[in-house]
């Protein structure tokens, strides 16, 4: 009820980025720009036989032909595997918070604003050093082995507002690639905090919805 009341009285909805499919070609263009591997550098050529077998086994398990990933950068391969795994577990993008809130805002003719562009969000990952991208990919592959239990724990923590448990789970997910926290969480939270401060100094009620990982831990948006 508190969430609905806050949304109903708000005059502006602010999200991380515009995920609406008003321009289907935009995402495809960004993928071509940021996700394709350099000419002559396949994903397999940058992995040991053992690493590539892990990749192939997971890809096959979630319904992807491993060869389809070979022409992409490590960050994109890891993202595709994560999304495909989530879909296999019954999670649907169409039931996500941003999608639901955006539809409601459209119904109520409530204006939208965004903290980042889609290009910026993709570049956060695409501009990571190659060794960090590879660490991220291998960590993703290893984490999926225990992801069933952790996914259930994360959903329960989110649904009950258990921020302490959420912080521990996020820390566990990101511990093998500490560079990701600085790039994906801490630095962005600082920038967002500045924008949110400006919004709060303005007129009207603003409803802001961002990924749960930004709302927990010592460098959360609230702390910033």
């Amino acid at each position: 009820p508190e969430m609905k009341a806050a949304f109903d009285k708000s005059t502006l909805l602010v999200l991380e980025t515009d995920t609406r499919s008003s321009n289907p070609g935009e995402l495809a263009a960004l993928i071509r720009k940021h996700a394709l591997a350099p000419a002559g550098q396949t994903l397999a050529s940058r992995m040991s036989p053992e690493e590539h077998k892990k990749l192939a086994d997971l890809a096959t398990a979630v319904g992807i032909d491993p060869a389809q990933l070979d022409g992409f950068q490590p960050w994109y391969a890891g993202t595709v595997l994560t999304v495909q795994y989530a879909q296999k577990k019954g999670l649907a993008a169409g039931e996500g918070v941003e999608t639901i809130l955006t539809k409601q805002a459209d119904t109520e003719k409530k204006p939208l604003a965004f903290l980042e562009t889609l290009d910026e969000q993709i570049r956060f990952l695409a501009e990571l050093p190659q060794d960090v991208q590879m660490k991220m990919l291998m960590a993703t592959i290893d984490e999926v082995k225990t992801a069933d239990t952790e996914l259930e724990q994360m959903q329960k923590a989110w649904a009950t507002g258990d921020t302490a448990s959420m912080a521990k789970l996020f820390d566990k997910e990101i511990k093998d690639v500490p560079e990701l926290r600085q790039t994906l969480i801490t630095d962005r939270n600082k920038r967002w905090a500045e924008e949110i401060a400006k919004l709060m100094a303005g007129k009207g009620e603003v409803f802001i919805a961002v990924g749960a990982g930004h709302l927990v831990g010592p460098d959360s948006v609230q702390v910033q």
Side-chain angles (χ1 to χ4, degrees):
E2 293 90 343
M3 188 76 76
K4 186 178 187 307
F7 186 85
D8 288 346
K9 72 177 182 178
S10 66
T11 55
L12 176 70
L13 171 62
V14 177
L15 302 173
E16 287 188 31
T17 193
D18 191 353
T19 57
R20 296 170 295 183
S21 56
S22 55
N23 183 6
E26 180 186 7
L27 182 58
L30 289 173
I31 295 303
R32 287 194 298 271
K33 181 179 178 181
H34 296 298
L36 294 179
Q41 286 191 23
T42 64
L43 194 57
S45 70
R46 288 180 278 175
M47 306 176 79
S48 69
E50 294 79 11
E51 289 173 335
H52 192 258
K53 184 179 186 307
K54 284 185 177 182
L55 171 71
D57 289 346
L58 176 57
T60 302
V62 298
I64 300 175
D65 180 354
Q68 292 180 332
L69 300 175
D70 218 22
F72 293 102
Q73 296 277 19
W75 75 265
Y76 186 70
T79 302
V80 170
L81 290 169
T82 301
V83 171
Q84 190 71 10
Y85 166 78
Q87 291 177 344
K88 278 278 186 180
K89 294 299 173 181
L91 278 71
E95 296 300 322
V97 173
E98 289 175 326
T99 303
I100 299 299
L101 291 180
T102 298
K103 288 178 180 178
Q104 189 62 32
D106 287 343
T107 298
E108 299 177 13
K109 301 294 189 288
K110 193 190 301 288
L112 276 74
F114 306 98
L115 295 167
E116 297 167 342
T117 66
L118 192 57
D119 180 71
E120 284 175 326
Q121 289 211 325
I122 288 175
R123 283 193 289 108
F124 291 139
L125 292 169
E127 293 178 358
L128 289 169
Q130 285 294 310
D131 61 325
V132 176
Q133 287 191 38
M134 193 59 73
K135 280 169 61 178
M136 172 186 159
L137 173 58
M138 296 315 300
T140 297
I141 293 171
D142 289 338
E143 285 164 11
V144 169
K145 296 174 183 175
T146 58
D148 287 3
T149 301
E150 290 176 7
L151 183 61
E152 186 176 325
Q153 292 173 342
M154 185 71 77
Q155 289 175 313
K156 182 179 179 181
W158 184 89
T160 57
D162 184 354
T163 54
S165 292
M166 287 174 63
K168 288 179 182 178
L169 287 164
F170 276 116
D171 282 343
K172 186 177 179 181
E173 281 187 354
I174 213 163
K175 67 177 173 59
D176 292 329
V177 196
E179 299 91 341
L180 284 180
R181 174 176 285 281
Q182 190 69 37
T183 299
L184 298 185
I185 303 293
T186 307
D187 291 346
R188 293 168 71 201
N189 287 357
K190 289 178 180 178
R191 289 193 295 270
W192 293 358
E194 294 176 3
E195 292 300 316
I196 291 168
K198 294 175 185 176
L199 288 167
M200 291 175 69
K203 296 179 180 179
E205 295 275 349
V206 182
F207 190 102
I208 303 172
V210 298
H214 296 282
L215 303 176
V216 299
D219 49 2
S220 70
V221 170
Q222 299 96 306
V223 172
Q224 302 291 357

